[in-house]
Amino acid sequence: MEPAFFYIAILLSVLSISSGPDKALCRDDIKSTRSLDLLIKDYTFKSYGKSYFRTAELQVVKLPGNLSDIRVDIARYRCGSLKRYGARIREFHLGVGVTVQPCVERVLMIRQVLGFNWSSMFYSNYDLSGYQLVSPVLGLMAYNAGKDPFQVGVHAGSENPIMVNFSSIARIDQKLGGIVPLCASFGGNRQLAIMGSAGQSLCRVPGHGHFGLVAELPSVQMRRRVSRWKVVVGSSIGALLGLFLLSLLMMAMLVKAKKKSRREEMERRAYEEEALQVSMVGHVRAPMAAGTRTMPVIERRYSAPYR
Ligand SMILES: *[C@@H]1O[C@H](CO)[C@@H](O)[C@H](O)[C@H]1NC(C)=O
Ligand SMILES: *[C@@H]1O[C@H](CO)[C@@H](O)[C@H](O)[C@H]1NC(C)=O
Ligand SMILES: *[C@@H]1O[C@H](CO)[C@@H](O)[C@H](O)[C@H]1NC(C)=O
């Protein structure tokens, strides 16, 4: 084996090792929001699932050190009373008529606030397409509160959606310079769904899931502003050019009209002068012409004897 190949092979293997994932952050071990949800759920049920606490009473869940950036509150409800009375779970306000499906009897609601560190996970998991997160991500998940803690769905009617109040966890007003952020939902298909603007930091959402406030990236805003500027400048230049061409055209028409009228005037004058001259000349010449016309006759008459 050639020594050169050997060294190249070693070099390549060293390069491939050093360029591989070497970050030891726990964030990178949790690849998706789904696995984070499962981790939080497992931890919650391990620590609080068996202990008794009153229905509709909020409990703070203490997570281990490597998840301390995440704040979790839980509350247990009977599905029937949830539907009849609604509930307020920190930032989430569930109106009357909210349904849990499937529901055996009770449901355990988990509300998560992912700190900015954990929220940044959504950048790698979702196609944010020109948006940036401007709030921590809030999650509302629901599980069967019985022996088998399977995930259940929370659904609000469109006339009475779940309200999410971001104002206590996101101070965004001064940072965005007056721009109203948009409500975003992080769906299961790695797609961001924009659900309208978050006036007063309030979002209306149809059910459980992960939500955040987003704003257009400055570069996107800039591009849009530049293109708007381009349109304004372009259209005004176009308008000016059009006006200039129009004035040129009008001037040309004016000059032409003037020339025409002058020519007509000159022609008219020339015609008049000619007519006058002819009539004058005719008047004066008339006898002369008669004379010249008679002359040859006289000449011929005089010349006749020479023939
Ligand atoms: C967090 O720390 C605990 C021990 O405190 C460990 O068992 C667990 O695997 C860690 N989780 C992650 C995601 O790193
Ligand atoms: C967030 O991440 C930064 C850098 O990765 C780290 O210094 C900081 O301690 C983290 N904050 C929390 C609350 O984990
Ligand atoms: C949202 O929360 C803020 C602060 O927690 C509160 O002042 C405000 O009244 C809430 N808005 C609604 C509509 O509940």
Side-chain angles (χ1 to χ4, degrees):
M1 192 171 161
E2 293 258 343
F5 277 118
F6 183 67
Y7 289 128
I8 284 171
I10 285 181
L11 192 68
L12 281 179
S13 63
V14 165
L15 278 178
S16 69
I17 286 168
S18 62
S19 65
D22 57 353
K23 287 178 231 156
L25 290 170
C26 63
R27 243 194 341 273
D28 295 329
D29 301 335
I30 301 169
K31 286 289 188 292
S32 70
T33 59
R34 175 153 177 77
S35 50
L36 180 62
D37 284 339
L38 284 176
L39 194 69
I40 292 172
K41 173 204 144 185
D42 285 349
Y43 201 84
T44 300
F45 273 91
K46 234 180 267 169
S47 10
Y48 293 92
K50 292 184 196 86
S51 68
Y52 178 80
F53 57 94
R54 283 186 16 223
T55 298
E57 198 176 79
L58 281 175
Q59 297 281 318
V60 177
V61 175
K62 284 217 158 49
L63 294 178
N66 46 17
L67 297 176
S68 65
D69 195 19
I70 303 173
R71 278 183 283 150
V72 171
D73 275 23
I74 57 171
R76 211 164 12 198
Y77 298 93
R78 282 178 176 278
C79 303
S81 61
L82 196 62
K83 189 169 185 171
R84 262 196 304 281
Y85 306 114
R88 192 181 282 274
I89 309 168
R90 301 281 185 216
E91 297 82 8
F92 292 91
H93 188 200
L94 285 64
V96 171
V98 69
T99 58
V100 174
Q101 272 169 342
C103 184
V104 178
E105 192 191 351
R106 288 167 197 266
V107 60
L108 184 84
M109 297 282 194
I110 298 184
R111 163 281 208 174
Q112 330 158 340
V113 183
L114 307 183
F116 271 105
N117 278 8
W118 282 96
S119 295
S120 66
M121 183 173 83
F122 285 79
Y123 283 105
S124 48
N125 274 295
Y126 282 84
D127 176 16
L128 297 194
S129 53
Y131 291 102
Q132 60 176 335
L133 263 172
V134 296
S135 78
V137 170
L138 279 175
L140 182 71
M141 307 305 286
Y143 300 92
N144 177 38
K147 274 199 177 68
D148 182 13
F150 53 85
Q151 195 190 335
V152 298
V154 181
H155 305 285
S158 56
E159 69 283 349
N160 204 3
I162 295 173
M163 302 288 283
V164 192
N165 187 348
F166 281 90
S167 49
S168 58
I169 62 155
R171 282 180 204 86
I172 42 168
D173 296 341
Q174 56 273 54
K175 206 169 86 182
L176 286 179
I179 295 171
V180 176
L182 301 169
C183 298
S185 166
F186 300 94
N189 51 357
R190 299 168 87 86
Q191 287 284 319
L192 184 81
I194 301 292
M195 306 179 299
S197 70
Q200 296 171 314
S201 299
L202 287 176
C203 291
R204 290 159 180 80
V205 306
H208 65 276
H210 293 98
F211 312 100
L213 300 182
V214 296
E216 272 184 333
L217 282 170
S219 58
V220 175
Q221 274 175 34
M222 191 76 89
R223 220 178 302 146
R224 183 165 298 176
R225 223 172 279 159
V226 163
S227 68
R228 215 179 292 152
W229 183 78
K230 266 185 197 160
V231 165
V232 167
V233 168
S235 56
S236 44
I237 284 178
L240 279 177
L241 204 69
L243 215 67
F244 180 65
L245 286 177
L246 200 69
S247 61
L248 273 187
L249 191 71
M250 275 168 75
M251 257 161 72
M253 276 165 70
L254 214 76
V255 164
K256 204 174 166 188
K258 225 176 199 174
K259 257 188 189 163
K260 195 182 168 197
S261 74
R262 200 188 294 160
R263 199 176 57 232
E264 273 173 4
E265 171 75 16
M266 272 166 70
E267 269 172 6
R268 190 176 56 82
R269 212 177 282 167
Y271 177 77
E272 271 177 12
E273 253 165 40
E274 202 178 303
L276 196 69
Q277 230 171 35
V278 164
S279 69
M280 274 167 67
V281 167
H283 200 72
V284 173
R285 270 186 192 166
M288 285 169 71
T292 50
R293 226 180 288 145
T294 49
M295 283 277 271
V297 181
I298 299 163
E299 243 177 37
R300 228 178 277 153
R301 211 184 285 163
Y302 279 107
S303 64
Y306 292 100
R307 268 193 198 164

